[in-house]
Amino acid sequence: MAVATKTFLARVEVTLKLTVNDPQGNTVKGALASLGFDGVSAVRVGKHMEIRLTAEGAAEAERRVEEMCRQLLANPVIEQYRFTIESAEG
Amino acid sequence: MAVATKTFLARVEVTLKLTVNDPQGNTVKGALASLGFDGVSAVRVGKHMEIRLTAEGAAEAERRVEEMCRQLLANPVIEQYRFTIESAEG
């Protein structure tokens, strides 16, 4: 008998570790200043990914997304990641 | 007398509109499949930005980040954005 699966949406944020220089963020910060936005003390730029996947439950979805981050989505030498899992049924 | 300001952290997500083709997301989806992650039906890739700014209050911070998105952070023709504001005091 086939196991019933549910659809989940994972929202993954991959950002450079705080100790790693972020030239893209610095460029955005400079651009904001040149547009007249003062009071901006720091900008960090990272990746945002939305992954729609099927799994037997939220715990299994979380385990698989964690594994995706480790194997492909983030570079653990310079990046950190965090994600949320929500049901995407219906 | 100077007006007291507080520090806020804005987390901005900029993603391609759903009607816009996302080749980077499709590439990640294909890479996940080739690594053996099945059950992934869609991947969308966007930008994640963390902006630290000072403002008189959360409402003013929100208004300014909205304006930053319109003027610089997102391309309204093909991208949509959403953000959260949280206090970054202490």
Side-chain angles (χ1 to χ4, degrees):
Chain A
M1 196 180 89
V3 176
T5 58
K6 294 176 186 167
T7 304
F8 295 90
L9 178 66
R11 298 176 189 275
V12 184
E13 290 172 7
V14 179
T15 51
L16 288 166
K17 288 181 179 174
L18 285 177
T19 50
V20 177
N21 191 31
D22 181 359
Q24 195 179 359
N26 293 339
T27 301
V28 171
K29 184 185 166 195
L32 287 172
S34 72
L35 285 170
F37 292 104
D38 49 5
V40 175
S41 58
V43 179
R44 306 285 290 179
V45 177
K47 281 172 285 184
H48 169 77
M49 283 169 276
E50 296 184 0
I51 300 171
R52 193 171 295 269
L53 74 161
T54 54
E56 284 174 39
E60 194 211 335
E62 188 172 331
R63 189 185 59 73
R64 289 175 61 202
V65 173
E66 175 82 31
E67 199 56 36
M68 291 176 194
C69 288
R70 284 178 193 275
Q71 287 191 33
L72 181 75
L73 304 179
N75 175 350
V77 178
I78 57 169
E79 291 174 329
Q80 59 195 0
Y81 58 86
R82 62 182 206 169
F83 61 85
T84 60
I85 303 273
E86 63 189 64
S87 174
E89 291 286 308
Chain B
M1 196 180 86
V3 177
T5 59
K6 293 176 186 169
T7 305
F8 294 90
L9 179 66
R11 297 177 188 275
V12 184
E13 289 172 8
V14 179
T15 51
L16 288 167
K17 289 180 181 174
L18 285 177
T19 50
V20 177
N21 191 30
D22 181 359
Q24 194 180 357
N26 293 339
T27 301
V28 171
K29 184 185 165 195
L32 287 173
S34 72
L35 284 171
F37 291 104
D38 49 4
V40 175
S41 59
V43 179
R44 305 284 292 179
V45 177
K47 282 172 286 184
H48 168 76
M49 284 171 275
E50 296 184 1
I51 300 172
R52 194 172 292 270
L53 74 161
T54 55
E56 285 175 37
E60 194 212 335
E62 190 172 329
R63 189 185 59 72
R64 289 175 62 203
V65 173
E66 175 81 32
E67 198 56 36
M68 291 175 193
C69 289
R70 285 179 193 275
Q71 287 190 34
L72 181 74
L73 304 180
N75 175 351
V77 178
I78 57 169
E79 292 174 329
Q80 59 195 0
Y81 58 86
R82 63 182 207 168
F83 62 85
T84 60
I85 302 272
E86 63 189 65
S87 174
E89 292 285 309

